[in-house]
């Protein structure tokens, strides 16, 4: 057999070689907004309300009122209190405003970061004209439908007036025709309007580019990183670099276009030097198991591989304790301190159970039975499309509820230690301890659910619709157009 060795990600491979590699590292959600909230707070996103119950999986607009609640505590806030310079460079996507276009109640600078440069929103599929539209196509269809209705009303009124069948003045005719023209124009320009509304760069509280110049974004972010490190290298600092990659519409610098063997996606991966798995797949491993690398030369052993379950939520208590801070005692923190595991002083993860949510719905749970195996139980799974596929193609992400999910009774059981790709469903006939595993996992789920408190859901409709008065704009609204700098300050 011929083996061709070509590393897509040489720099990340080198990080893994020099550091500790976590092979069961789990994200708290399979999509951006909730997983980021969990990462920064060390808590399941359902605790902070950073979930939806109606299908709005992430924040949909920069000008929406939902976002990371101000009473949540991020690790950046604790480190700032301990004297660290704190910076976030790249993507935020955890909200911006509450009541006005400049209150910035959800802004990174209100959540413990001294410095922010990047996108307050996300590089979603409408920042460039992309066939997998996240909003544009739906809005175009709605506006076109309303145009057709109003155009039909206008024509009916004109015909009725001219034939004297409808006793009406010209005023409603003119207004319905005018609104029809406006709706038609809106459907034509909606793509450009979305780009101006969402695809912008900010430095701290100031908009620097609206809309973004995508070909310049990557070098601007790298310059900003270098500038932050140079300014803060003589004191304690925390820098969170949150790449815009790898995200549709896969905007890639010209120097990387066509360079990989794997099309535009491969080009985008090589530009960022990264690789990701599946996305938006409920509780399946393909959407939530992520690469985990910790590198600390001279402290952490190089080349170590840890197969214990760990979570992105673990970054919170680990970083807080390394900085000499205290993990909050007034709320449930779901993350566990990783340091003993990373140093090799502990052999086992402190996560006996991990829950896997899809929006606000619990889809699956895993039980790490020490020295034996890791079980995974699926209570609900999305219906993959087309039939037999391993994901939901033809739609942005898999649904979390409704007709497009299956409720399993008994639940599906997998042995992740032997079957990490979750292809062999275990049954009472094939697995002798099936019922014991189910009983233990379901008891853990009940115990977990007793720790949940009702909170406002930030991603439901009220917090997740576009509000003109919350729209950030660097000119008089709606003339949002500016280019204020070419490099970092």
């Amino acid at each position: 057999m011929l083996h061709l060795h070509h590393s897509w990600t040489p720099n990340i491979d080198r990080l893994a070689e020099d550091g500790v590699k976590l092979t069961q590292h789990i994200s708290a959600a399979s999509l951006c907004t909730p997983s980021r909230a969990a990462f920064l707070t060390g808590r399941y996103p359902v605790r902070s309300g950073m979930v939806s119950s109606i299908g709005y999986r992430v924040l949909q607009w920069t000008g929406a009122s939902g976002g990371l609640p101000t009473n949540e505590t991020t690790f950046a806030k604790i480190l700032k209190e301990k004297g660290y310079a704190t910076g976030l460079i790249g993507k935020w996507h955890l909200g911006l405003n509450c009541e006005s276009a400049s209150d910035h109640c959800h802004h990174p600078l209100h959540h413990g970061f001294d410095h922010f440069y990047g996108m307050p929103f996300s590089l979603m599929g409408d920042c460039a004209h992309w066939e997998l539209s996240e909003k544009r196509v739906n809005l175009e269809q709605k506006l076109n439908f309303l145009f057709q209705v109003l155009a039909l009303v206008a024509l009916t009124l004109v015909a009725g007036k001219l034939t004297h069948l409808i006793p009406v003045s010209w005023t409603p005719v003119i207004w319905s025709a005018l609104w029809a023209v406006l709706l038609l124009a809106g459907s034509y320009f909606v793509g450009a309007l979305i780009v101006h509304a969402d695809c912008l760069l900010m430095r701290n509280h100031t908009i620097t580019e609206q809309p973004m110049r995508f070909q310049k974004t990557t070098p601007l972010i790298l310059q900003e990183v270098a500038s932050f490190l140079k300014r803060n290298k003589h004191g304690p600092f925390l820098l969170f670099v949150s790449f815009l990659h790898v995200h549709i519409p896969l905007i890639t610098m010209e120097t990387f276009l066509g360079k990989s063997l794997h099309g535009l996606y491969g080009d985008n991966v090589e530009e960022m030097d990264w690789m990701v798995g599946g996305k938006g797949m409920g509780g399946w491993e393909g959407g939530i198991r992520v690469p985990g690398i910790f590198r600390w030369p001279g402290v952490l052993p190089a080349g170590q591989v840890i197969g214990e379950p760990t979570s992105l939520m673990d970054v919170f208590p680990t970083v807080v304790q390394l900085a000499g801070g205290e993990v909050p005692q007034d709320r449930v923190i779901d993350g566990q301190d990783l340091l003993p595991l990373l140093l090799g002083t502990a052999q086992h993860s402190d996560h006996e159970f991990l829950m896997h949510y899809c929006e606000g719905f619990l889809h699956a749970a895993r039980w790490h039975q020490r020295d034996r195996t890791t079980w995974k139980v699926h209570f609900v799974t999305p219906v993959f499309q087309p039939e037999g596929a391993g994901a939901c193609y033809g739609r942005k992400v898999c649904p979390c509820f409704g007709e497009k999910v299956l409720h399993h009774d008994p639940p599906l059981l997998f042995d992740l230690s032997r079957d990490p790709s979750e292809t062999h469903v275990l049954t009472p006939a094939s697995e002798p301890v099936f019922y014991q595993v189910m009983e233990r996992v379901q008891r853990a789920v009940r115990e977990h659910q007793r720790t949940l408190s009702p909170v406002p859901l930030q991603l439901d409709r009220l917090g997740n619709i576009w509000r003109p008065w919350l729209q950030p704009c660097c000119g008089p609204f709606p003339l949002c157009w500016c280019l204020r700098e070419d490099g970092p300050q």
Side-chain angles (χ1 to χ4, degrees):
M1 184 182 289
L2 178 65
H3 291 277
L4 296 175
H5 292 280
H6 170 69
S7 174
W8 278 17
T9 58
N11 296 310
I12 287 178
D13 293 351
R14 192 158 58 246
L15 278 178
E17 290 165 9
D18 296 343
V20 179
K21 186 163 63 173
L22 306 174
T23 59
Q24 280 206 51
H25 201 46
I26 306 298
S27 173
S30 58
L31 282 169
C32 171
T33 298
S35 67
R36 280 166 187 274
F39 171 71
L40 285 166
T41 63
R43 289 152 54 81
Y44 288 112
V46 70
R47 295 195 191 279
S48 58
M50 293 300 282
V51 294
S52 168
S53 63
I54 56 171
Y56 285 3
R57 306 287 296 276
V58 298
L59 279 172
Q60 300 289 320
W61 298 93
T62 315
S65 64
L68 189 62
T70 52
N71 62 358
E72 288 294 325
T73 300
T74 68
F75 56 72
K77 184 177 182 181
I78 296 174
L79 265 65
K80 183 177 179 179
E81 291 169 355
K82 299 299 293 184
Y84 280 68
T86 55
L88 169 61
I89 297 173
K91 168 181 171 178
W92 175 240
H93 207 185
L94 290 173
L96 192 60
N97 298 314
C98 289
E99 296 178 359
S100 76
S102 58
D103 66 27
H104 292 181
C105 65
H106 301 305
H107 191 284
L109 268 60
H110 278 201
H111 279 293
F113 291 99
D114 294 318
H115 180 76
F116 170 63
Y117 178 76
M119 282 192 84
F121 192 59
S122 167
L123 200 62
M124 287 171 75
D126 292 297
C127 282
H129 201 83
W130 185 254
E131 59 189 57
L132 280 177
S133 166
E134 313 226 14
K135 290 182 297 203
R136 175 182 47 80
V137 170
N138 189 34
L139 283 171
E140 284 173 347
Q141 290 172 346
K142 286 180 178 176
L143 290 170
N144 273 321
F145 173 74
L146 290 172
F147 157 72
Q148 289 167 5
V149 169
L150 280 171
L152 187 61
V153 167
L155 288 172
T156 303
L157 291 174
V158 168
K161 184 164 182 63
L162 292 176
T163 58
H164 305 291
L165 292 174
I166 304 176
V168 67
S169 71
W170 284 108
T171 303
V173 176
I174 293 167
W175 274 110
S176 55
L178 186 62
W179 274 107
V181 170
L182 287 172
L183 287 165
L184 183 63
S187 70
Y188 184 78
F189 290 110
V190 71
L193 292 171
I194 288 173
V195 169
H196 278 77
D198 289 336
C199 309
L200 56 102
L201 287 177
M202 292 184 82
R203 175 184 308 289
N204 297 325
H205 292 294
T206 304
I207 297 171
T208 59
E209 283 186 27
Q210 191 174 15
M212 294 161 58
R213 300 168 299 160
F214 303 117
Q215 298 296 333
K216 302 278 187 183
T217 304
T218 296
L220 282 173
I221 284 176
L222 292 177
Q223 286 178 53
E224 193 73 23
V225 169
S227 175
F228 182 92
L229 294 174
K230 189 176 179 180
R231 288 196 311 273
N232 295 288
K233 65 182 179 182
H234 297 298
F237 69 85
L238 166 79
L239 176 60
F240 174 21
V241 181
S242 179
F243 290 108
L244 305 182
H245 303 59
V246 174
H247 203 301
I248 56 174
L250 301 176
I251 290 158
T252 305
M253 291 167 61
E254 288 180 15
T255 50
F256 282 92
L257 287 172
K259 296 296 184 184
S260 80
L261 302 175
H262 304 273
L264 183 59
Y265 185 84
D267 300 341
N268 203 240
V269 170
E270 292 199 359
E271 180 181 4
M272 184 184 126
D273 203 32
W274 199 273
M275 182 62 190
V276 294
K279 181 176 180 177
M281 296 165 60
W284 292 106
E285 293 289 280
I288 56 173
R289 196 186 285 205
V290 293
I293 300 167
F294 285 79
R295 180 178 178 269
W296 190 357
V299 178
L300 300 183
Q304 185 181 358
V305 178
I306 295 174
E308 294 281 301
T310 56
S311 168
L312 277 172
M313 296 184 292
D314 299 340
V315 170
F316 179 95
T318 306
V319 166
V320 166
Q321 294 189 46
L322 280 172
E326 290 187 11
V327 172
Q329 301 298 307
D330 64 340
R331 65 198 64 197
V332 178
I333 300 296
D334 299 295
Q336 302 285 347
D337 183 8
L338 280 173
L339 201 59
L341 201 61
L342 298 174
L343 291 170
T345 57
Q347 299 304 308
H348 294 288
S349 164
D350 286 330
H351 288 293
E352 186 179 5
F353 296 94
L354 280 168
M355 306 297 157
H356 305 304
Y357 281 89
C358 187
E359 294 186 54
F361 307 95
L362 185 71
H363 272 212
R366 74 204 303 121
W367 176 26
H368 180 53
Q369 196 177 14
R370 281 189 178 179
D371 299 318
R372 289 195 62 185
T373 191
T374 299
W375 304 101
K376 178 86 166 286
V377 174
H378 287 263
F379 306 104
V380 182
T381 58
V383 178
F384 288 157
Q385 300 157 331
E387 193 174 338
C392 299
Y393 298 102
R395 54 185 303 149
K396 297 182 289 291
V397 290
C398 292
C400 297
F401 62 92
E403 296 176 358
K404 298 297 184 181
V405 302
L406 295 174
H407 293 262
H408 300 283
D409 186 17
L412 305 181
L413 177 64
F414 297 94
D415 180 348
L416 292 182
S417 306
R418 291 179 295 175
D419 180 25
S421 59
E422 299 171 291
T423 51
H424 304 293
V425 179
L426 301 175
T427 64
S430 65
E431 179 48 64
V433 296
F434 181 92
Y435 289 112
Q436 292 96 309
V437 172
M438 284 296 166
E439 194 280 327
R440 183 66 191 96
V441 171
Q442 288 174 328
R443 178 152 47 98
V445 167
R446 290 193 297 271
E447 290 167 0
H448 159 73
Q449 288 174 333
R450 279 198 289 268
T451 71
L452 299 177
S453 302
V455 292
L457 298 188
Q458 299 290 321
L459 306 189
D460 269 0
R461 187 167 280 109
L462 280 177
N464 214 352
I465 56 173
W466 181 67
R467 302 176 186 223
W469 60 92
L470 299 183
Q471 176 61 48
C473 187
C474 59
F477 182 81
L479 303 177
C480 307
W481 192 292
C482 65
L483 176 58
R484 289 183 171 153
E485 61 181 54
D486 281 320
Q489 302 297 309

